[in-house]
Amino acid sequence: MRRTATGAAVAGLLLLLGTACGSRLPESDFENRATPTPRASAEPIRVGVISSATSPVGASAFTGPRDGAKAWFDRLDARGGIDGRRVKVRLCDDGGSGVGNSDCVRRLIDQDKVVALVATTALDYAGASQVSRAGVPDIGGQPIGAAYDTYPHLYGIYGSLAPRHGTPGWDGELYGGTEVYRYFKRVHGARTAAVVSYNQSASAAYARLVTEGLRAEGYRVVSEQVDFALPDFRAAAADLKAQHADLVFDALDTHGNSQLCKAMDDVGAHVTAKVTNVQNWTSTVPEDYKDAPRCRNALWATGSSRNYEDTGDTAVREFRDATKGLSAHSQWQLEGWAAARWFTDAARSCARTGVTRGCVDAFMNRGEPYTAGGLLLPVTYERLAEPPKTRRTCLSVARWRDGRGWVTQGDMNTNCFDVPQIAYRP
């Protein structure tokens, strides 16, 4: 459970998502009765990709995982598919609404008969319970809400230790670690951190979680809250300068982040790190922060996947070669690529029985960590009766440098800490 990055994405988009639960037996309980599809059949393997490609938060906010997954499948088909069968990708834009999401789920499961969903990235995953009831494995989705810690058959890109029996986490509580705060304290000697949020419920709630984690790591915390409709970022920047903040964390959207950075440059607020999350780990930083060169070069991102700029790594270089035609690159694209690779490995394990929902789901439930060839920190799914009090957690860290892009800071497999797990309600 690497819930810190997830919470940041939630807060950055100002989300409050709800879920529903179902009770009938999943189709996977009966799936393996079906006659396996002959290996020689030319019938394609159908997968679905749901994204909020059009949504209230902008046209490009949720398309990264979709684009990465599509690039993987295009390349896979060009090399012969899976055991000679090509993968037919069904894309569905849910428009960023719960109704649209449920419609996408029904269309893909009932009409298109997809074997699995891959790289789901939904503003409101209202159809999650439908997916679970149908026994359709949802592989490598972005856990923007609590669905991937709530339902069986749903496998978020960062894993889960929760029971997943229809209630989020443990009795409605999820847990996040303090590894990000430990990293900056131990590696960079940070002691004072500012947390900037809107006076909006989801933003404020995430800010409280960050504050609690920072205090657990011994930081002095400076809280800055700005008005959602008319934010005064200059006043917040001036105060965090006066308080000598080493770090700045936020519960803001991308626009708010860029405005905060500009205000920090304007007032001369210099920090060790302006820490952002995996969703903002993109090649568009020069445009997004064009008015804040000093703050821009203090941007740091943390996550659970290998930096998409690490082209010295074979798996990353393969991703970059396949996506060189895209106008921009992002960490979410790489994670979508990893999700598609995950499905492919699951489908290839079904050579004997045929590629069915039940067989793919069994691969996902086999209890072995998965790394997508080293692109991900080891992802596990367990169903613990009680939440862990502490956990050894690793993280991927990168820093933005003009002219160089995102520069990796240490090996993600050794940036590891034993940290407490802090409860929060999604």
Side-chain angles (χ1 to χ4, degrees):
M1 290 179 306
R2 302 179 183 93
R3 304 302 303 178
T4 303
T6 300
V10 175
L13 295 167
L14 307 180
L15 309 181
L16 282 175
L17 304 183
T19 52
C21 53
S23 58
R24 72 180 179 87
L25 289 174
E27 289 179 4
S28 60
D29 286 1
F30 311 100
E31 193 88 44
N32 288 329
R33 294 181 185 176
T35 302
T37 303
R39 181 172 177 175
S41 172
E43 182 183 354
I45 300 169
R46 294 180 176 85
V47 300
V49 178
I50 299 175
S51 63
S52 299
T54 57
S55 75
V57 297
S60 63
F62 290 92
T63 55
R66 178 203 68 185
D67 294 345
K70 186 68 165 56
W72 169 272
F73 288 127
D74 287 347
R75 176 183 165 281
L76 180 69
D77 282 348
R79 298 184 175 185
I82 298 174
D83 291 336
R85 298 173 64 187
R86 70 185 183 90
V87 177
K88 191 168 187 176
V89 181
R90 298 289 196 182
L91 304 179
C92 195
D93 174 11
D94 66 13
S97 75
V99 171
N101 184 266
S102 294
D103 286 344
C104 277
V105 167
R106 281 192 294 270
R107 187 185 318 158
L108 294 173
I109 292 177
D110 299 332
Q111 296 179 23
D112 295 330
K113 308 294 183 184
V114 299
V115 171
L117 300 179
V118 177
T120 300
T121 312
L123 180 62
D124 184 349
Y125 198 179
S129 61
Q130 298 169 260
V131 175
S132 181
R133 286 198 303 270
V136 175
D138 176 347
I139 299 172
Q142 289 292 337
I144 295 166
Y148 292 97
D149 285 307
T150 301
Y151 299 107
H153 309 296
L154 273 60
Y155 305 95
I157 194 71
Y158 306 129
S160 176
L161 302 181
R164 292 184 292 137
H165 49 41
T167 301
W170 291 264
D171 298 324
E173 289 189 330
L174 303 180
Y175 286 75
T178 61
E179 60 274 6
V180 173
Y181 321 127
R182 179 76 59 86
Y183 170 84
F184 283 102
K185 179 181 179 182
R186 183 167 296 180
V187 177
H188 299 284
R191 292 293 181 270
T192 300
V195 182
V196 185
S197 64
Y198 291 122
N199 61 343
Q200 190 271 353
S201 58
S203 178
Y206 178 64
R208 287 193 296 271
L209 174 64
V210 173
T211 298
E212 187 176 351
L214 286 164
R215 286 177 174 157
E217 290 294 335
Y219 283 84
R220 182 173 73 89
V221 180
V222 178
S223 296
E224 305 286 350
Q225 190 172 88
V226 297
D227 185 76
F228 181 50
L230 296 170
D232 186 351
F233 287 116
R234 189 179 182 90
D239 190 52
L240 65 89
K241 176 186 178 182
Q243 298 282 352
H244 303 290
D246 302 312
L247 308 177
V248 177
F249 292 88
D250 69 86
L252 308 172
D253 54 2
T254 300
H255 177 71
N257 264 300
S258 64
Q259 293 302 301
L260 174 61
C261 259
K262 182 179 184 303
M264 289 170 61
D265 272 20
D266 289 345
V267 303
H270 305 152
V271 296
T272 300
K274 168 71 178 67
V275 187
T276 188
N277 57 74
V278 67
Q279 189 189 12
N280 295 315
W281 192 335
T282 75
S283 63
T284 61
V285 166
E287 299 87 60
D288 295 338
Y289 298 86
K290 63 182 184 298
D291 297 323
R294 183 180 289 275
C295 180
R296 182 174 68 233
N297 282 278
L299 285 175
W300 292 63
T302 63
S304 301
S305 52
R306 191 173 298 279
N307 184 0
Y308 75 85
E309 300 267 30
D310 283 347
T311 53
D313 178 84
T314 301
V316 173
R317 188 165 60 250
E318 189 176 20
F319 159 74
R320 291 297 298 269
D321 287 346
T323 57
K324 59 187 176 184
L326 296 178
S327 60
H329 283 95
S330 73
Q331 203 64 15
W332 263 14
Q333 289 170 357
L334 180 139
E335 292 183 351
W337 170 277
R341 177 172 179 163
W342 203 344
F343 167 79
T344 301
D345 288 342
R348 283 175 171 157
S349 76
C350 300
R352 184 180 61 82
T353 63
V355 182
T356 65
R357 293 171 179 175
C359 179
V360 171
D361 196 62
F363 179 90
M364 299 302 297
N365 264 321
R366 73 196 190 288
E368 298 177 15
Y370 186 80
T371 68
L375 291 176
L376 305 173
L377 286 167
V379 183
T380 59
Y381 298 95
E382 299 179 51
R383 295 187 176 185
L384 302 184
E386 300 292 334
K389 290 183 172 58
T390 62
R391 193 181 183 201
R392 184 164 184 78
T393 308
C394 304
L395 69 160
S396 177
V397 184
R399 181 181 185 180
W400 179 266
R401 286 301 199 191
D402 285 349
R404 299 177 64 190
W406 290 102
V407 180
T408 299
Q409 306 294 306
D411 185 339
M412 70 177 187
N413 292 297
T414 58
N415 285 339
C416 305
F417 306 93
D418 294 304
V419 295
Q421 300 295 298
I422 297 174
Y424 69 97
R425 289 193 173 272

